[in-house]
Amino acid sequence: MRGLWALAASFLTPLALAEPLSVQVSNAQGQPLAGAVVAVEGEGLPTRARAGTQAELAQKDRQFRPQLLVVQTGTEVRFPNEDPVRHHVYSYSAAKSFELKLYLGETASPVLFDKAGVVAVGCNIHDRMSAHIVVVDTPLFAVTDAQGRATLELPAKAANLRLRAWHPSRKEPVLSSEALPAGSTQRSLRL
């Protein structure tokens, strides 16, 4: 019986150590800000995604889907074209510059996002097509809901935590950053 309790405790320990952090993001007028990226970085958290981690930014109905994609540094992103027309996907952003010339279906290979930052993505053929890929040095990230809220599970062993945030309405492609005091369970941000 004692061995059974030890086994059960080994499965429950990681869950018991996680601490939920509730983040409320609002705009300058204090209104909830849906679609904001929030991330927590710190010591003890892996900065790069596991090898082979992939995400997808598709093109359908002459739009990028999703229009906001958040990935951890080291993630490969696929850009499938689900439209019956060719697209020419590109970015000239400092965090990642790339170009996928006119194509239908799948591209030859995914694009590796190996530097943190905000990447503006467009189509050279269809000017109204735009999206953002936000690359963060942490596996702890979320996008706020319609009420401007997001919840992240913080491991108890992480230290020197920083809360990072960004929204597509910001002019600068830089995430805001502030120290996150130990034991924090709620934070409010204005972007």
Side-chain angles (χ1 to χ4, degrees):
M1 186 69 157
R2 187 175 191 193
L4 182 60
W5 282 111
L7 180 62
S10 70
F11 286 113
L12 295 175
T13 301
L15 295 175
L17 294 178
E19 299 175 30
L21 171 68
S22 178
V23 180
Q24 175 70 53
V25 181
S26 58
N27 63 17
Q29 293 75 37
Q31 300 299 315
L33 198 55
V37 174
V38 292
V40 174
E41 298 175 349
E43 294 172 14
L45 297 173
T47 58
R48 294 189 63 83
R50 291 183 189 161
T53 299
Q54 289 196 348
E56 182 176 285
L57 187 67
Q59 298 121 73
K60 185 172 175 131
D61 300 326
R62 293 188 177 135
Q63 293 182 8
F64 287 106
R65 295 184 191 229
Q67 288 188 308
L68 176 62
L69 177 66
V70 187
V71 299
Q72 186 176 8
T73 305
T75 299
E76 294 179 331
V77 177
R78 295 176 40 247
F79 293 87
N81 179 356
E82 298 174 9
D83 280 333
V85 297
R86 294 179 185 270
H87 291 295
H88 184 140
V89 179
Y90 72 95
S91 177
Y92 299 123
S93 300
K96 186 66 178 183
S97 180
F98 67 94
E99 186 173 19
L100 305 172
K101 295 190 177 182
L102 291 169
Y103 70 97
L104 288 168
E106 289 286 331
T107 59
S109 59
V111 176
L112 176 65
F113 286 78
D114 53 358
K115 181 179 176 186
V118 178
V119 180
V121 180
C123 175
N124 213 10
I125 305 301
H126 306 97
D127 290 339
R128 66 180 175 86
M129 288 178 62
S130 65
H132 290 94
I133 299 173
V134 179
V135 186
V136 293
D137 286 333
T138 178
L140 302 177
F141 57 82
V143 176
T144 58
D145 63 17
Q147 290 76 40
R149 293 185 305 238
T151 301
L152 299 167
E153 295 292 326
L154 304 181
K157 292 185 179 183
N160 295 321
L161 298 178
R162 295 204 64 77
L163 181 60
R164 310 285 313 268
W166 184 83
H167 187 267
S169 64
R170 291 181 65 115
K171 302 275 189 248
E172 294 295 318
V174 177
L175 281 77
S176 68
S177 180
E178 66 176 52
L180 187 61
S184 295
T185 59
Q186 295 185 355
R187 291 300 281 190
S188 294
L189 297 172
R190 284 209 178 183
L191 294 180

Short mmCIF file of all heavy atoms in Angstrom, two decimals, residues 103-158:
data_model
loop_
_atom_site.label_atom_id
_atom_site.label_comp_id
_atom_site.label_asym_id
_atom_site.label_seq_id
_atom_site.Cartn_x
_atom_site.Cartn_y
_atom_site.Cartn_z
N TYR A 103 3.51 30.00 -54.61
CA TYR A 103 3.29 28.56 -54.48
C TYR A 103 1.84 28.25 -54.17
O TYR A 103 1.08 29.09 -53.69
CB TYR A 103 4.20 27.97 -53.39
CG TYR A 103 3.84 28.38 -51.98
CD1 TYR A 103 3.07 27.56 -51.18
CD2 TYR A 103 4.29 29.59 -51.46
CE1 TYR A 103 2.73 27.94 -49.88
CE2 TYR A 103 3.97 29.97 -50.17
CZ TYR A 103 3.18 29.14 -49.39
OH TYR A 103 2.85 29.52 -48.12
N LEU A 104 1.47 27.02 -54.44
CA LEU A 104 0.18 26.43 -54.07
C LEU A 104 0.46 25.24 -53.18
O LEU A 104 1.53 24.62 -53.28
CB LEU A 104 -0.58 25.95 -55.31
CG LEU A 104 -1.18 27.00 -56.23
CD1 LEU A 104 -1.62 26.37 -57.54
CD2 LEU A 104 -2.35 27.69 -55.55
N GLY A 105 -0.46 24.87 -52.31
CA GLY A 105 -0.29 23.69 -51.46
C GLY A 105 0.76 23.92 -50.39
O GLY A 105 0.81 24.96 -49.77
N GLU A 106 1.61 22.93 -50.19
CA GLU A 106 2.67 23.01 -49.16
C GLU A 106 3.93 23.65 -49.73
O GLU A 106 4.23 23.50 -50.91
CB GLU A 106 3.03 21.60 -48.67
CG GLU A 106 1.98 20.95 -47.83
CD GLU A 106 1.88 21.53 -46.43
OE1 GLU A 106 2.89 22.01 -45.89
OE2 GLU A 106 0.77 21.51 -45.89
N THR A 107 4.64 24.34 -48.86
CA THR A 107 5.95 24.85 -49.25
C THR A 107 6.95 23.70 -49.15
O THR A 107 6.65 22.66 -48.58
CB THR A 107 6.40 26.00 -48.33
OG1 THR A 107 6.45 25.51 -47.00
CG2 THR A 107 5.47 27.19 -48.42
N ALA A 108 8.13 23.90 -49.69
CA ALA A 108 9.14 22.85 -49.69
C ALA A 108 9.51 22.43 -48.27
O ALA A 108 9.67 21.26 -47.98
CB ALA A 108 10.38 23.30 -50.45
N SER A 109 9.65 23.38 -47.36
CA SER A 109 10.03 23.05 -45.99
C SER A 109 9.53 24.16 -45.06
O SER A 109 9.32 25.29 -45.47
CB SER A 109 11.55 22.89 -45.87
OG SER A 109 12.19 24.08 -46.26
N PRO A 110 9.37 23.83 -43.78
CA PRO A 110 8.92 24.86 -42.82
C PRO A 110 10.04 25.87 -42.55
O PRO A 110 11.20 25.63 -42.86
CB PRO A 110 8.58 24.05 -41.57
CG PRO A 110 9.31 22.77 -41.70
CD PRO A 110 9.52 22.52 -43.16
N VAL A 111 9.66 26.99 -41.96
CA VAL A 111 10.61 28.06 -41.62
C VAL A 111 10.90 27.94 -40.13
O VAL A 111 9.98 27.87 -39.31
CB VAL A 111 10.02 29.44 -41.95
CG1 VAL A 111 10.96 30.55 -41.50
CG2 VAL A 111 9.71 29.55 -43.44
N LEU A 112 12.18 27.94 -39.77
CA LEU A 112 12.61 27.85 -38.38
C LEU A 112 12.64 29.26 -37.77
O LEU A 112 13.32 30.15 -38.27
CB LEU A 112 13.99 27.21 -38.27
CG LEU A 112 14.60 27.15 -36.87
CD1 LEU A 112 13.77 26.24 -35.96
CD2 LEU A 112 16.03 26.67 -36.94
N PHE A 113 11.91 29.45 -36.67
CA PHE A 113 11.90 30.72 -35.96
C PHE A 113 12.84 30.58 -34.77
O PHE A 113 12.47 30.06 -33.73
CB PHE A 113 10.47 31.11 -35.57
CG PHE A 113 9.69 31.57 -36.77
CD1 PHE A 113 9.17 30.66 -37.67
CD2 PHE A 113 9.55 32.92 -37.03
CE1 PHE A 113 8.49 31.07 -38.80
CE2 PHE A 113 8.87 33.35 -38.16
CZ PHE A 113 8.34 32.43 -39.05
N ASP A 114 14.08 31.06 -34.96
CA ASP A 114 15.16 30.81 -34.00
C ASP A 114 15.56 32.03 -33.19
O ASP A 114 16.56 32.00 -32.48
CB ASP A 114 16.38 30.25 -34.73
CG ASP A 114 16.82 31.11 -35.90
OD1 ASP A 114 16.16 32.13 -36.19
OD2 ASP A 114 17.82 30.75 -36.53
N LYS A 115 14.78 33.11 -33.25
CA LYS A 115 15.08 34.32 -32.50
C LYS A 115 13.76 34.90 -31.97
O LYS A 115 12.78 35.01 -32.71
CB LYS A 115 15.77 35.34 -33.42
CG LYS A 115 16.16 36.62 -32.75
CD LYS A 115 16.85 37.53 -33.75
CE LYS A 115 17.16 38.87 -33.11
NZ LYS A 115 17.71 39.81 -34.10
N ALA A 116 13.76 35.27 -30.70
CA ALA A 116 12.55 35.83 -30.09
C ALA A 116 12.24 37.20 -30.69
O ALA A 116 13.14 37.95 -31.05
CB ALA A 116 12.72 35.94 -28.58
N GLY A 117 10.95 37.52 -30.79
CA GLY A 117 10.52 38.82 -31.28
C GLY A 117 9.19 38.71 -32.01
O GLY A 117 8.57 37.66 -32.06
N VAL A 118 8.77 39.84 -32.56
CA VAL A 118 7.51 39.91 -33.29
C VAL A 118 7.81 39.93 -34.78
O VAL A 118 8.61 40.74 -35.26
CB VAL A 118 6.71 41.18 -32.89
CG1 VAL A 118 5.42 41.28 -33.69
CG2 VAL A 118 6.43 41.17 -31.39
N VAL A 119 7.17 39.02 -35.51
CA VAL A 119 7.40 38.88 -36.94
C VAL A 119 6.11 39.23 -37.68
O VAL A 119 5.09 38.56 -37.51
CB VAL A 119 7.82 37.43 -37.28
CG1 VAL A 119 8.05 37.27 -38.78
CG2 VAL A 119 9.07 37.03 -36.49
N ALA A 120 6.15 40.32 -38.47
CA ALA A 120 5.01 40.70 -39.30
C ALA A 120 5.11 39.92 -40.61
O ALA A 120 6.15 39.89 -41.25
CB ALA A 120 5.04 42.19 -39.57
N VAL A 121 4.01 39.25 -40.97
CA VAL A 121 3.97 38.40 -42.15
C VAL A 121 2.97 38.98 -43.15
O VAL A 121 1.90 39.44 -42.76
CB VAL A 121 3.55 36.96 -41.78
CG1 VAL A 121 3.50 36.06 -43.01
CG2 VAL A 121 4.49 36.38 -40.74
N GLY A 122 3.33 38.95 -44.42
CA GLY A 122 2.44 39.45 -45.46
C GLY A 122 2.49 38.59 -46.69
O GLY A 122 3.27 37.63 -46.78
N CYS A 123 1.64 38.94 -47.66
CA CYS A 123 1.63 38.27 -48.96
C CYS A 123 1.96 39.33 -50.00
O CYS A 123 1.30 40.38 -50.06
CB CYS A 123 0.26 37.65 -49.25
SG CYS A 123 0.16 36.93 -50.91
N ASN A 124 2.95 39.07 -50.83
CA ASN A 124 3.41 40.02 -51.82
C ASN A 124 2.40 40.20 -52.95
O ASN A 124 2.48 41.14 -53.71
CB ASN A 124 4.75 39.55 -52.39
CG ASN A 124 5.65 40.71 -52.76
OD1 ASN A 124 5.37 41.85 -52.44
ND2 ASN A 124 6.73 40.40 -53.45
N ILE A 125 1.43 39.29 -53.05
CA ILE A 125 0.43 39.36 -54.12
C ILE A 125 -0.85 40.00 -53.61
O ILE A 125 -1.50 40.76 -54.30
CB ILE A 125 0.12 37.94 -54.66
CG1 ILE A 125 1.41 37.24 -55.11
CG2 ILE A 125 -0.92 37.98 -55.77
CD1 ILE A 125 2.17 37.96 -56.19
N HIS A 126 -1.24 39.68 -52.37
CA HIS A 126 -2.49 40.16 -51.78
C HIS A 126 -2.16 41.06 -50.59
O HIS A 126 -1.96 40.58 -49.48
CB HIS A 126 -3.36 38.97 -51.36
CG HIS A 126 -3.59 38.01 -52.47
ND1 HIS A 126 -2.83 36.86 -52.62
CD2 HIS A 126 -4.45 38.05 -53.51
CE1 HIS A 126 -3.24 36.22 -53.70
NE2 HIS A 126 -4.23 36.91 -54.26
N ASP A 127 -2.12 42.37 -50.83
CA ASP A 127 -1.67 43.33 -49.82
C ASP A 127 -2.51 43.33 -48.54
O ASP A 127 -2.02 43.69 -47.49
CB ASP A 127 -1.65 44.75 -50.40
CG ASP A 127 -0.54 44.93 -51.42
OD1 ASP A 127 0.42 44.14 -51.39
OD2 ASP A 127 -0.66 45.85 -52.24
N ARG A 128 -3.78 42.94 -48.62
CA ARG A 128 -4.62 42.98 -47.41
C ARG A 128 -4.36 41.79 -46.49
O ARG A 128 -4.85 41.76 -45.36
CB ARG A 128 -6.10 43.05 -47.78
CG ARG A 128 -6.62 41.81 -48.48
CD ARG A 128 -8.10 41.95 -48.81
NE ARG A 128 -8.57 40.83 -49.57
CZ ARG A 128 -9.00 39.69 -49.05
NH1 ARG A 128 -9.03 39.54 -47.75
NH2 ARG A 128 -9.41 38.71 -49.82
N MET A 129 -3.57 40.84 -46.93
CA MET A 129 -3.24 39.68 -46.09
C MET A 129 -2.10 40.04 -45.15
O MET A 129 -1.03 40.45 -45.59
CB MET A 129 -2.82 38.48 -46.95
CG MET A 129 -3.94 37.83 -47.70
SD MET A 129 -3.39 36.45 -48.74
CE MET A 129 -2.73 35.31 -47.53
N SER A 130 -2.35 39.90 -43.85
CA SER A 130 -1.29 40.14 -42.88
C SER A 130 -1.53 39.29 -41.64
O SER A 130 -2.66 38.89 -41.35
CB SER A 130 -1.22 41.61 -42.50
OG SER A 130 -2.39 42.00 -41.81
N ALA A 131 -0.45 38.99 -40.95
CA ALA A 131 -0.50 38.21 -39.71
C ALA A 131 0.74 38.54 -38.90
O ALA A 131 1.66 39.20 -39.39
CB ALA A 131 -0.56 36.72 -40.01
N HIS A 132 0.75 38.09 -37.65
CA HIS A 132 1.92 38.24 -36.79
C HIS A 132 2.26 36.89 -36.18
O HIS A 132 1.36 36.14 -35.78
CB HIS A 132 1.66 39.24 -35.67
CG HIS A 132 1.57 40.64 -36.16
ND1 HIS A 132 0.39 41.25 -36.47
CD2 HIS A 132 2.54 41.56 -36.39
CE1 HIS A 132 0.62 42.47 -36.88
NE2 HIS A 132 1.92 42.70 -36.84
N ILE A 133 3.54 36.62 -36.11
CA ILE A 133 4.05 35.47 -35.36
C ILE A 133 4.88 36.06 -34.22
O ILE A 133 5.83 36.81 -34.48
CB ILE A 133 4.90 34.54 -36.24
CG1 ILE A 133 4.07 33.99 -37.39
CG2 ILE A 133 5.49 33.41 -35.39
CD1 ILE A 133 4.86 33.18 -38.40
N VAL A 134 4.49 35.75 -32.99
CA VAL A 134 5.23 36.23 -31.84
C VAL A 134 6.06 35.06 -31.31
O VAL A 134 5.50 34.01 -30.97
CB VAL A 134 4.30 36.79 -30.75
CG1 VAL A 134 5.10 37.26 -29.55
CG2 VAL A 134 3.45 37.93 -31.32
N VAL A 135 7.36 35.23 -31.30
CA VAL A 135 8.28 34.18 -30.89
C VAL A 135 8.80 34.52 -29.50
O VAL A 135 9.34 35.60 -29.29
CB VAL A 135 9.46 34.06 -31.90
CG1 VAL A 135 10.34 32.88 -31.55
CG2 VAL A 135 8.94 33.96 -33.33
N VAL A 136 8.61 33.59 -28.55
CA VAL A 136 8.99 33.85 -27.16
C VAL A 136 9.97 32.79 -26.66
O VAL A 136 9.94 31.65 -27.11
CB VAL A 136 7.74 33.92 -26.24
CG1 VAL A 136 6.89 35.14 -26.58
CG2 VAL A 136 6.91 32.65 -26.32
N ASP A 137 10.83 33.20 -25.72
CA ASP A 137 11.84 32.31 -25.14
C ASP A 137 11.29 31.57 -23.92
O ASP A 137 11.92 31.55 -22.85
CB ASP A 137 13.07 33.12 -24.71
CG ASP A 137 13.91 33.57 -25.89
OD1 ASP A 137 13.89 32.90 -26.94
OD2 ASP A 137 14.60 34.60 -25.77
N THR A 138 10.12 30.95 -24.06
CA THR A 138 9.49 30.25 -22.95
C THR A 138 8.37 29.36 -23.46
O THR A 138 7.75 29.68 -24.48
CB THR A 138 8.91 31.26 -21.92
OG1 THR A 138 8.27 30.54 -20.86
CG2 THR A 138 7.92 32.21 -22.55
N PRO A 139 8.09 28.27 -22.75
CA PRO A 139 6.93 27.46 -23.12
C PRO A 139 5.64 27.97 -22.47
O PRO A 139 4.57 27.46 -22.73
CB PRO A 139 7.30 26.08 -22.57
CG PRO A 139 8.15 26.38 -21.37
CD PRO A 139 8.93 27.61 -21.74
N LEU A 140 5.75 29.01 -21.62
CA LEU A 140 4.59 29.55 -20.90
C LEU A 140 4.06 30.78 -21.61
O LEU A 140 4.55 31.89 -21.43
CB LEU A 140 4.97 29.90 -19.46
CG LEU A 140 5.53 28.78 -18.60
CD1 LEU A 140 5.93 29.29 -17.24
CD2 LEU A 140 4.52 27.65 -18.49
N PHE A 141 3.06 30.58 -22.47
CA PHE A 141 2.47 31.69 -23.20
C PHE A 141 1.00 31.41 -23.46
O PHE A 141 0.55 30.27 -23.42
CB PHE A 141 3.21 31.98 -24.51
CG PHE A 141 3.29 30.81 -25.45
CD1 PHE A 141 2.23 30.49 -26.30
CD2 PHE A 141 4.42 30.02 -25.50
CE1 PHE A 141 2.31 29.43 -27.17
CE2 PHE A 141 4.52 28.95 -26.37
CZ PHE A 141 3.46 28.65 -27.21
N ALA A 142 0.25 32.49 -23.71
CA ALA A 142 -1.17 32.39 -24.02
C ALA A 142 -1.60 33.65 -24.76
O ALA A 142 -0.87 34.64 -24.80
CB ALA A 142 -1.98 32.24 -22.73
N VAL A 143 -2.81 33.59 -25.32
CA VAL A 143 -3.44 34.74 -25.96
C VAL A 143 -4.70 35.06 -25.16
O VAL A 143 -5.46 34.15 -24.82
CB VAL A 143 -3.78 34.45 -27.44
CG1 VAL A 143 -4.51 35.62 -28.08
CG2 VAL A 143 -2.50 34.14 -28.22
N THR A 144 -4.91 36.35 -24.85
CA THR A 144 -6.05 36.72 -24.03
C THR A 144 -7.38 36.47 -24.75
O THR A 144 -7.47 36.57 -25.97
CB THR A 144 -5.99 38.19 -23.60
OG1 THR A 144 -5.92 39.02 -24.76
CG2 THR A 144 -4.79 38.45 -22.70
N ASP A 145 -8.40 36.16 -23.94
CA ASP A 145 -9.74 35.91 -24.46
C ASP A 145 -10.48 37.23 -24.69
O ASP A 145 -9.90 38.31 -24.57
CB ASP A 145 -10.51 34.97 -23.52
CG ASP A 145 -10.75 35.56 -22.13
OD1 ASP A 145 -10.61 36.79 -21.94
OD2 ASP A 145 -11.07 34.77 -21.22
N ALA A 146 -11.78 37.17 -24.99
CA ALA A 146 -12.58 38.36 -25.28
C ALA A 146 -12.63 39.33 -24.11
O ALA A 146 -12.85 40.52 -24.30
CB ALA A 146 -13.99 37.94 -25.70
N GLN A 147 -12.43 38.83 -22.89
CA GLN A 147 -12.43 39.68 -21.70
C GLN A 147 -11.03 40.17 -21.34
O GLN A 147 -10.82 40.76 -20.28
CB GLN A 147 -13.04 38.94 -20.51
CG GLN A 147 -14.54 38.70 -20.62
CD GLN A 147 -14.87 37.57 -21.59
OE1 GLN A 147 -14.20 36.55 -21.62
NE2 GLN A 147 -15.90 37.76 -22.39
N GLY A 148 -10.05 39.89 -22.20
CA GLY A 148 -8.67 40.33 -21.95
C GLY A 148 -7.95 39.49 -20.92
O GLY A 148 -6.95 39.93 -20.36
N ARG A 149 -8.41 38.27 -20.67
CA ARG A 149 -7.83 37.41 -19.63
C ARG A 149 -7.09 36.22 -20.22
O ARG A 149 -7.47 35.69 -21.26
CB ARG A 149 -8.92 36.89 -18.70
CG ARG A 149 -9.57 37.96 -17.86
CD ARG A 149 -10.54 37.33 -16.89
NE ARG A 149 -11.51 36.50 -17.60
CZ ARG A 149 -12.82 36.67 -17.56
NH1 ARG A 149 -13.34 37.61 -16.83
NH2 ARG A 149 -13.61 35.88 -18.24
N ALA A 150 -6.07 35.81 -19.49
CA ALA A 150 -5.33 34.58 -19.81
C ALA A 150 -4.81 34.01 -18.50
O ALA A 150 -4.55 34.75 -17.55
CB ALA A 150 -4.17 34.87 -20.75
N THR A 151 -4.70 32.69 -18.45
CA THR A 151 -4.16 32.02 -17.27
C THR A 151 -2.97 31.16 -17.69
O THR A 151 -3.04 30.45 -18.69
CB THR A 151 -5.23 31.13 -16.60
OG1 THR A 151 -6.34 31.97 -16.23
CG2 THR A 151 -4.69 30.46 -15.36
N LEU A 152 -1.90 31.26 -16.92
CA LEU A 152 -0.69 30.46 -17.16
C LEU A 152 -0.38 29.67 -15.90
O LEU A 152 -0.54 30.18 -14.79
CB LEU A 152 0.49 31.37 -17.50
CG LEU A 152 0.34 32.22 -18.76
CD1 LEU A 152 1.42 33.29 -18.80
CD2 LEU A 152 0.42 31.35 -19.98
N GLU A 153 0.10 28.45 -16.06
CA GLU A 153 0.51 27.61 -14.93
C GLU A 153 2.01 27.78 -14.72
O GLU A 153 2.80 27.36 -15.56
CB GLU A 153 0.17 26.14 -15.19
CG GLU A 153 -1.31 25.85 -15.29
CD GLU A 153 -2.04 26.04 -13.97
OE1 GLU A 153 -1.45 25.77 -12.90
OE2 GLU A 153 -3.21 26.47 -14.01
N LEU A 154 2.39 28.41 -13.61
CA LEU A 154 3.80 28.68 -13.33
C LEU A 154 4.40 27.57 -12.48
O LEU A 154 3.87 27.27 -11.41
CB LEU A 154 3.94 30.00 -12.57
CG LEU A 154 3.36 31.24 -13.20
CD1 LEU A 154 3.61 32.45 -12.33
CD2 LEU A 154 3.93 31.44 -14.59
N PRO A 155 5.49 26.96 -12.92
CA PRO A 155 6.15 25.96 -12.08
C PRO A 155 6.77 26.62 -10.86
O PRO A 155 7.34 27.72 -10.96
CB PRO A 155 7.21 25.35 -12.99
CG PRO A 155 7.36 26.29 -14.12
CD PRO A 155 6.15 27.15 -14.20
N ALA A 156 6.65 25.97 -9.72
CA ALA A 156 7.14 26.55 -8.46
C ALA A 156 8.66 26.74 -8.46
O ALA A 156 9.17 27.60 -7.77
CB ALA A 156 6.71 25.69 -7.29
N LYS A 157 9.38 25.94 -9.23
CA LYS A 157 10.85 25.99 -9.20
C LYS A 157 11.43 27.09 -10.09
O LYS A 157 12.63 27.34 -10.05
CB LYS A 157 11.43 24.65 -9.60
CG LYS A 157 11.14 23.58 -8.57
CD LYS A 157 11.82 22.29 -8.92
CE LYS A 157 11.53 21.25 -7.85
NZ LYS A 157 12.21 20.01 -8.10
N ALA A 158 10.62 27.77 -10.88
CA ALA A 158 11.15 28.84 -11.72
C ALA A 158 11.47 30.05 -10.86
O ALA A 158 10.84 30.30 -9.84
CB ALA A 158 10.13 29.20 -12.80
#
